[in-house]
Amino acid sequence: MSFLSVFQFAVFRSNKHDKHVRVRIKKGNIANQRQSKVFAAENVYIAELMVESNVTLEAKTLLSALNSTIKVKVNGTDHTLTFTQIELVAECLIVGDETSCNCSKGYIWSNDVCYNFSCCRETTCTANVSHIVPLCIAKFEGLVTIESPDTVVCYNSTPQLKCTLEEKTDRAVWNLSRQHEYFQLNTGSVVKLNHSCATAAYSSCTILTLQDVTGIWKGTYVCGFISGSVTHTARTQMEVALLPDVVNLKISPLTADCSKHNTDATDANDIEVTATILNSSETFNVSWHYKNKNGKPHKNTEGENWVYTFRVKINCTKSTAAQTVNVTFENQRKQKKTAQVDIPVIYAGTTFCSQEVINGEVWPNTPAKDTVINQTCPEGRVGFKSRTCEETGKWQDVFSFCVSEELNKVADAADDTKTGLQAESPVFDPFIYYNHPAKPLKCQSTLTLAANESTNFKKGLGATEDVAIDIFQGLQNSSASDSSNSEDTMADISASVSILNVMSDASENVVLNQRVFPTMIYAASNMLNKSWNGVNRSLVEKMSSSYLQSVEGLVKNIEVNQSEIANRAVDSQNVELKVCTNSDCKVFGIETHLNKPSGIIKTVAVRNLMEKLKNNFGRTDPTGLLISVTLQNNTDSALEITLDFPLDQNVTTPYCVFWNTTLNEWSDAGCTVNISNSNQTICECNHLTSFSVLMAKSDISTEVLDMITTVGLGVSICSLLIFLIIESLVWSAVVKTNLSHFRHTALVNIAVFLLLADCSFLASSNSEALSDSWCLVLTVCKHLFYLAMFSWMLCMSVMLVHQLIFVFSPLRKRVFMFFSSIIGYVCPILIVGSSYVYCKYTNKRYYNKDTCWLVYDRLLEGSIHAFLLPVGTVILTNLFSMVVVILTLVKSTVPDSGKTDDKDTAKSILKVVVFLTPVFGVTWIIGFALLMLDAKSPMHNVANYAFTILNSFQGLLILITGCFAEQKVREELIKLVMAKSKGKSDSMKNSTSITYTKQK
């Protein structure tokens, strides 16, 4: 026979803190524990007192054995504790296997005893509960009442659970338990908590609302009201009418080839369709449908999955509609979810991409404008690869969406529904649509499929600070791993950025404290260690913008304890965080000063991100650092911040900018450059966000240069129109010889293409108002038209040299027009087309959206070299031609009356070439000089204005040299004017004569 007595010692008082202690005493094989909660230090201490005896001991005897004062050692420090109150809590009598336990008056069985052993309130408990801590708790008037749905909850419905208690408590909590799993619930995208529903009858109240429930929300819900160290709970079971959260559809083969079949055939290709879902406690009614055929698939069990397989015969009758196969799942509440997959079909006579094998992966024949998915990721990675067949029947590059298995688990835990590059790339992906049943149901029949349903931090399931740290730790470990494959690296980086974005969104609802900072900062830093290559520039810009906003959002939402700051800092290779209480902070050598000392300043500096962000400030280079500043516990909107950026000495003109999260681009609104020299730039801004400095060798533009450009282009366009009108009027009179015909043909083409180029330039002057498509079109137009203009200059100079050197072998008109058409029309098209294709397939930028012009990266790198190299060739050729023509004319001393007209024409051509080549050529040479001149040099401004003036007024110079400076054109123009005037005079005379005759 054994006895168990449980005592509660109300208060211990030490020389440092007040301590409340509850003691359980153990006799024989009965375990008794001493438990205390230290309110001042917020620590809980557990101790045991064991008494071994074969005799029955009274409670008073045990109490007398305890001294009123004891000494304990905590963390190496001695504490003297004094008992101020001792109270008997429970007694148990144990005889063999039989147990009888009772709580003392004023106490009831604890929740653990009640739920696990069915011993509740003040009843005698016959179960062996001696190991439960606490065993009894102070009696609390009233019971926790829980209200929940009394039937199976519909899939994607919004159920509500409510708990109430008569007594007032400190706070309320909700938990969800499943087999071997236990989750704390916090507000998220699905979980909505309302603790403000108390009434006069119920002083404590909490409501849990679940939005769009799926299978993961099935389980036992426990609500708890906490008062001090005591928790009062109630629980209920909620069942959900399940539907598959994820339906994975596969087809084999990946495409249907009807190109070798008669178009009237009704069946040709067998396609095997496989639908895979996680096994479920629900019994589904599964069916498939294709056109007018339907049936039941064959079901197999593979591990934890149910696999449904069936075959369909694809109809080869040519159709513009997609060939769609549907798989429908129906649950016990008659709700339906239908997974749909489109079968790519190659019809007879249509364009398709031929089968290719790359690294052992088969990409089958695929119809144009379709994308195939190959679920062939390397070992240790999950996902898929996709490849698109262009309209021309040419394959695009393979896009990899294969992320590491560990990173995929982290994404699941964070509720990342858009892992990898999937959201940004054109992939062929099975999607879901929903069928409405014929009869109305109480359950909602139109549902939404979640791409990933697992441990869901963002939804509010298990959304605790410890789980957040685990997610960031997993992200840190995954981003630190190396991959030799750039495609896999980019897939991991994109998935990591997406997870970071999910956690930033979740931090809006889930309270996270400062101990999350280290793992979050290290994880974010590791992402920037790798090169973000292997995808197009636009995707890199989107990823970097999302990264920046996610880091800024997390730093803003993670709370810092005022009493534990002490200028706390987290330093990593690429990201440094500094938390300051005063107005000054310094990160990565950049000093910041805020005019509001109240509140907590959180400053983050980021390396290796600036070059990834979109730069909408033309002809500027980003600096190496970006600063984000947020303020906690201060809502004052009238803020001023000063940032001191150290700079390199080889950059001169700074622009203080901030990242506009709405437009996803840099803006200088509200920011000014206060002081700038070769060592530093001090920026002042009237708001908080992410800041940086962009550097240019000169001002991007000035009002004077903009005005010169606009006026010059207007004058040029009008001059070119006048020139073309004059040429059309005098054409028949000035092209009497082949040489003059060649010259005027070239001049007209030069004028036409310069006119088109000027119009395109003027249309793209306001690039911010243009879409990407229009900016690309105008860039191509300017590139093509300017090249065509220079090509016809080349034709004219080469023709002149030929005519003067080979006097007795004149160039025939047909030959000239043939070769000139190739050089003037075909060559520019080939150069522009090949440069665009090269940039597209090497993932390099063809144009700059900010300027709507070609890209200059550095010497011999950038699409602008597809313009500069041909233009340079033409300029050198023209200069060489001028030298040859001048030498030939000087040496020519033999008179030839039959060639007099040609000699005059040659001289006029020479004047034109000598006049035009400096105008056109020197302009672009000045452009090269601008890149090499020091921005501080006086010659830089001279060259800048000369470049603008000569380019803007090119049309006027053509009008002067091609018409007014040409004698034959002037003579013919005067003849036309005189003839017009003479015609009017003769008409007037005739009219007078007729009138006189009638009067006679």
Side-chain angles (χ1 to χ4, degrees):
M1 178 183 297
S2 299
F3 284 94
L4 168 67
S5 298
V6 180
F7 305 91
Q8 177 171 321
F9 296 77
V11 178
F12 283 79
R13 187 174 301 277
S14 72
N15 57 345
K16 289 188 177 182
H17 302 289
D18 291 338
K19 297 179 173 64
H20 288 222
V21 180
R22 176 177 297 132
V23 177
R24 294 182 61 206
I25 301 174
K26 179 177 181 180
K27 180 182 179 183
N29 61 347
I30 308 298
N32 303 284
Q33 297 179 350
R34 179 179 299 166
Q35 179 182 2
S36 69
K37 182 172 183 180
V38 184
F39 291 95
E42 296 183 353
N43 292 317
V44 176
Y45 301 93
I46 303 295
E48 280 192 356
L49 174 63
M50 301 181 63
V51 179
E52 295 184 1
S53 176
N54 293 324
V55 298
T56 302
L57 296 176
E58 294 290 338
K60 292 182 179 180
T61 305
L62 296 175
L63 290 175
S64 63
L66 294 173
N67 295 323
S68 60
T69 301
I70 61 173
K71 290 185 177 181
V72 296
K73 180 174 289 188
V74 180
N75 296 330
T77 303
D78 291 328
H79 295 265
T80 300
L81 307 179
T82 303
F83 299 111
T84 60
Q85 183 180 352
I86 302 175
E87 190 174 7
L88 180 65
V89 174
E91 288 185 299
C92 292
L93 175 63
I94 303 174
V95 181
D97 295 333
E98 296 181 0
T99 302
S100 176
C101 294
N102 290 280
C103 292
S104 299
K105 185 178 180 180
Y107 287 85
I108 60 174
W109 296 114
S110 67
N111 293 321
D112 286 341
V113 175
C114 182
Y115 290 136
N116 296 314
F117 299 94
S118 299
C119 298
C120 302
R121 304 301 291 176
E122 298 94 339
T123 59
T124 299
C125 186
T126 58
N128 188 354
V129 294
S130 60
H131 60 284
I132 303 299
V133 180
L135 188 60
C136 296
I137 59 176
K139 187 176 180 180
F140 202 83
E141 295 300 329
L143 292 174
V144 178
T145 303
I146 187 168
E147 302 174 12
S148 63
D150 55 1
T151 60
V152 176
V153 174
C154 293
Y155 190 90
N156 260 42
S157 62
T158 304
Q160 191 176 87
L161 294 85
K162 181 178 181 180
C163 276
T164 55
L165 182 65
E166 293 90 340
E167 301 296 328
K168 185 175 179 58
T169 54
D170 298 333
R171 59 190 178 96
V173 294
W174 284 91
N175 296 285
L176 169 63
S177 63
R178 300 196 294 255
Q179 187 177 11
H180 309 303
E181 293 179 309
Y182 191 80
F183 304 98
Q184 182 175 325
L185 302 181
N186 282 306
T187 298
S189 60
V190 174
V191 176
K192 305 298 178 184
L193 297 177
N194 177 16
H195 302 310
S196 303
C197 54
T199 63
Y202 297 101
S203 299
S204 298
C205 177
T206 178
I207 297 176
L208 168 65
T209 303
L210 302 173
Q211 297 180 343
D212 301 328
V213 294
T214 58
I216 63 171
W217 301 100
K218 173 184 177 180
T220 301
Y221 287 81
V222 181
C223 68
F225 292 105
I226 300 175
S227 181
S229 59
V230 178
T231 302
H232 305 273
T233 63
R235 65 182 62 193
T236 186
Q237 182 74 18
M238 189 177 79
E239 299 291 335
V240 179
L242 303 178
L243 279 172
D245 295 326
V246 179
V247 181
N248 185 9
L249 290 178
K250 296 181 182 179
I251 57 174
S252 180
L254 298 177
T255 61
D257 190 354
C258 291
S259 60
K260 299 179 182 179
H261 295 273
N262 191 303
T263 57
D264 294 330
T266 57
D267 53 3
N269 286 269
D270 274 356
I271 298 292
E272 182 180 76
V273 182
T274 302
T276 304
I277 65 171
L278 286 174
N279 57 25
S280 172
S281 59
E282 185 86 19
T283 301
F284 297 117
N285 181 18
V286 187
S287 61
W288 63 267
H289 177 78
Y290 169 71
K291 292 189 178 294
N292 57 349
K293 300 177 181 178
N294 53 70
K296 298 287 185 181
H298 178 69
K299 177 183 175 182
N300 286 321
T301 300
E302 296 181 3
E304 296 182 351
N305 296 324
W306 287 346
V307 181
Y308 299 86
T309 306
F310 59 95
R311 303 187 71 87
V312 295
K313 291 184 179 295
I314 298 300
N315 192 323
C316 282
T317 302
K318 189 173 183 179
S319 172
T320 57
Q323 298 262 23
T324 302
V325 178
N326 301 313
V327 183
T328 301
F329 295 82
E330 184 180 63
N331 64 15
Q332 60 181 334
R333 300 299 298 271
K334 302 301 180 183
Q335 289 181 287
K336 294 180 180 180
K337 175 179 284 188
T338 298
Q340 173 179 299
V341 60
D342 293 337
I343 310 295
V345 180
I346 303 173
Y347 297 105
T350 58
T351 305
F352 65 92
C353 294
S354 301
Q355 176 175 309
E356 290 184 2
V357 179
I358 301 178
N359 298 328
E361 299 169 349
V362 179
W363 300 97
N365 295 341
T366 302
K369 298 189 293 186
D370 262 322
T371 303
V372 291
I373 286 181
N374 227 331
Q375 297 186 359
T376 55
C377 290
E379 186 178 355
R381 291 186 168 270
V382 295
F384 57 90
K385 296 181 180 180
S386 71
R387 200 177 187 196
T388 300
C389 177
E390 294 181 346
E391 188 174 3
T392 58
K394 183 179 179 180
W395 282 110
Q396 290 185 0
D397 292 335
V398 177
F399 286 89
S400 175
F401 308 101
C402 297
V403 300
S404 68
E405 291 180 343
E406 293 303 317
L407 186 59
N408 190 61
K409 294 177 182 177
V410 177
D412 289 345
D415 182 40
D416 185 10
T417 58
K418 292 196 297 184
T419 56
L421 308 174
Q422 182 174 356
E424 304 293 347
S425 303
V427 298
F428 169 73
D429 198 12
F431 62 93
I432 302 300
Y433 81 99
Y434 300 94
N435 188 18
H436 294 269
K439 296 181 179 180
L441 298 174
K442 294 181 180 179
C443 292
Q444 181 185 3
S445 59
T446 303
L447 309 175
T448 303
L449 177 70
N452 203 323
E453 303 281 2
S454 184
T455 308
N456 298 270
F457 188 90
K458 184 180 179 181
K459 287 183 173 66
L461 182 63
T464 64
E465 193 172 276
D466 290 333
V467 173
I469 293 175
D470 291 341
I471 291 173
F472 287 124
Q473 186 65 58
L475 194 58
Q476 177 185 347
N477 296 337
S478 298
S479 56
S481 61
D482 294 326
S483 174
S484 57
N485 191 320
S486 61
E487 292 181 351
D488 294 340
T489 299
M490 280 310 302
D492 285 349
I493 291 175
S494 182
S496 299
V497 172
S498 184
I499 295 170
L500 206 63
N501 185 51
V502 168
M503 296 302 293
S504 176
D505 292 342
S507 66
E508 296 282 349
N509 299 313
V510 181
V511 177
L512 300 177
N513 291 311
Q514 59 199 31
R515 70 189 188 97
V516 177
F517 271 136
T519 51
M520 188 276 287
I521 294 297
Y522 293 138
S525 176
N526 286 349
M527 297 180 200
L528 299 177
N529 287 335
K530 302 177 183 179
S531 175
W532 292 17
N533 296 326
V535 294
N536 59 59
R537 177 64 189 178
S538 63
L539 182 55
V540 171
E541 291 174 351
K542 290 180 182 178
M543 289 167 52
S544 57
S545 178
S546 177
Y547 172 93
L548 175 58
Q549 294 181 48
S550 300
V551 171
E552 190 176 33
L554 283 165
V555 172
K556 177 182 177 182
N557 295 329
I558 296 175
E559 297 182 355
V560 176
N561 191 334
Q562 181 84 30
S563 63
E564 299 182 11
I565 297 176
N567 291 334
R568 178 184 295 271
V570 181
D571 187 7
S572 63
Q573 181 176 349
N574 296 303
V575 182
E576 181 179 2
L577 168 69
K578 191 75 173 289
V579 181
C580 306
T581 53
N582 53 24
S583 58
D584 297 317
C585 256
K586 187 175 183 180
V587 284
F588 281 157
I590 298 178
E591 296 181 359
T592 64
H593 174 80
L594 201 62
N595 69 334
K596 296 292 181 181
S598 63
I600 300 173
I601 303 174
K602 293 181 281 189
T603 306
V604 178
V606 184
R607 288 194 181 113
N608 296 327
L609 182 66
M610 285 292 295
E611 68 276 6
K612 300 176 177 63
L613 290 165
K614 176 183 177 182
N615 185 0
N616 54 300
F617 277 65
R619 296 192 301 175
T620 61
D621 296 322
T623 53
L625 289 173
L626 180 148
I627 304 296
S628 174
V629 182
T630 57
L631 189 60
Q632 180 180 313
N633 300 336
N634 189 317
T635 58
D636 192 347
S637 59
L639 298 172
E640 290 185 3
I641 185 171
T642 303
L643 304 100
D644 188 349
F645 288 88
L647 298 176
D648 298 329
Q649 295 186 3
N650 60 345
V651 289
T652 57
T653 307
Y655 296 89
C656 294
V657 293
F658 74 94
W659 186 251
N660 189 318
T661 56
T662 303
L663 301 177
N664 285 331
E665 62 182 25
W666 293 109
S667 173
D668 57 0
C671 293
T672 57
V673 178
N674 187 317
I675 300 175
S676 180
N677 52 46
S678 60
N679 297 320
Q680 65 177 163
T681 292
I682 297 179
C683 297
E684 291 186 352
C685 299
N686 57 15
H687 52 79
L688 298 182
T689 182
S690 298
F691 305 97
S692 190
V693 174
L694 300 176
M695 301 303 302
K697 288 191 174 183
S698 63
D699 290 339
I700 296 174
S701 63
T702 65
E703 293 183 2
V704 176
L705 289 177
D706 290 343
M707 183 178 66
I708 292 174
T709 301
T710 304
V711 173
L713 286 175
V715 172
S716 288
I717 290 173
C718 294
S719 300
L720 291 170
L721 290 173
I722 295 172
F723 172 80
L724 292 174
I725 292 173
I726 293 175
E727 281 290 322
S728 66
L729 294 175
V730 302
W731 181 264
S732 59
V734 298
V735 294
K736 293 181 178 180
T737 65
N738 283 350
L739 191 58
S740 60
H741 182 274
F742 299 158
R743 172 181 169 272
H744 282 277
T745 299
L747 276 176
V748 168
N749 277 279
I750 290 171
V752 169
F753 286 118
L754 180 57
L755 175 63
L756 295 173
D758 285 347
C759 290
S760 300
F761 192 94
L762 199 60
S764 63
S765 58
N766 187 14
S767 59
E768 295 180 356
L770 296 174
S771 64
D772 289 347
S773 300
W774 274 111
C775 190
L776 172 60
V777 169
L778 291 173
T779 302
V780 171
C781 288
K782 289 187 288 185
H783 191 186
L784 177 63
F785 296 150
Y786 278 124
L787 281 183
M789 177 190 69
F790 278 98
S791 298
W792 277 101
M793 282 190 63
L794 178 64
C795 294
M796 185 171 65
S797 62
V798 171
M799 173 271 300
L800 175 61
V801 172
H802 181 275
Q803 289 296 97
L804 292 179
I805 294 178
F806 304 100
V807 177
F808 299 102
S809 300
L811 191 64
R812 290 181 296 174
K813 185 184 297 184
R814 181 178 299 178
V815 175
F816 171 78
M817 293 305 299
F818 175 76
F819 285 105
S820 296
S821 298
I822 294 177
I823 296 174
Y825 300 139
V826 178
C827 288
I829 293 175
L830 290 177
I831 293 173
V832 173
S834 59
S835 62
Y836 175 75
V837 171
Y838 172 79
C839 291
K840 182 177 179 61
Y841 283 94
T842 55
N843 293 319
K844 296 181 179 179
R845 291 187 301 163
Y846 171 73
Y847 73 102
N848 187 339
K849 174 61 174 65
D850 305 318
T851 59
C852 290
W853 184 231
L854 304 174
V855 177
Y856 176 80
D857 295 326
R858 50 183 171 269
L859 187 61
L860 297 181
E861 286 192 21
S863 60
I864 199 170
H865 292 88
F867 174 76
L868 296 179
L869 294 179
V871 168
T873 303
V874 171
I875 294 171
L876 292 176
T877 304
N878 285 351
L879 292 173
F880 174 78
S881 299
M882 283 195 309
V883 173
V884 171
V885 171
I886 293 171
L887 292 176
T888 303
L889 291 177
V890 170
K891 292 180 179 180
S892 180
T893 58
V894 180
D896 187 355
S897 58
K899 298 293 182 179
T900 301
D901 193 48
D902 284 349
K903 283 290 183 70
D904 292 338
T905 303
K907 291 179 181 179
S908 64
I909 292 175
L910 178 61
K911 288 188 293 183
V912 172
V913 172
V914 170
F915 208 100
L916 288 183
T917 300
V919 173
F920 285 23
V922 173
T923 304
W924 300 103
I925 291 175
I926 294 174
F928 278 112
L930 281 172
L931 296 175
M932 295 180 289
L933 287 173
D934 186 358
K936 296 180 178 180
S937 171
M939 289 302 299
H940 186 274
N941 286 333
V942 174
N944 200 7
Y945 277 89
F947 182 79
T948 303
I949 294 171
L950 291 176
N951 269 312
S952 301
F953 290 92
Q954 286 177 347
L956 177 62
L957 295 172
I958 286 181
L959 176 63
I960 295 172
T961 59
C963 287
F964 301 142
E966 178 61 39
Q967 183 178 356
K968 285 186 178 181
V969 175
R970 288 200 312 268
E971 290 175 353
E972 289 300 321
L973 193 58
I974 292 172
K975 286 180 182 179
L976 288 173
V977 174
M978 295 300 294
K980 189 90 172 169
S981 300
K982 184 178 180 181
K984 289 183 178 180
S985 177
D986 291 342
S987 176
M988 184 63 70
K989 289 180 180 180
N990 291 335
S991 176
T992 305
S993 177
I994 292 170
T995 304
Y996 176 74
T997 302
K998 286 182 178 180
Q999 288 177 349
K1000 291 176 72 175

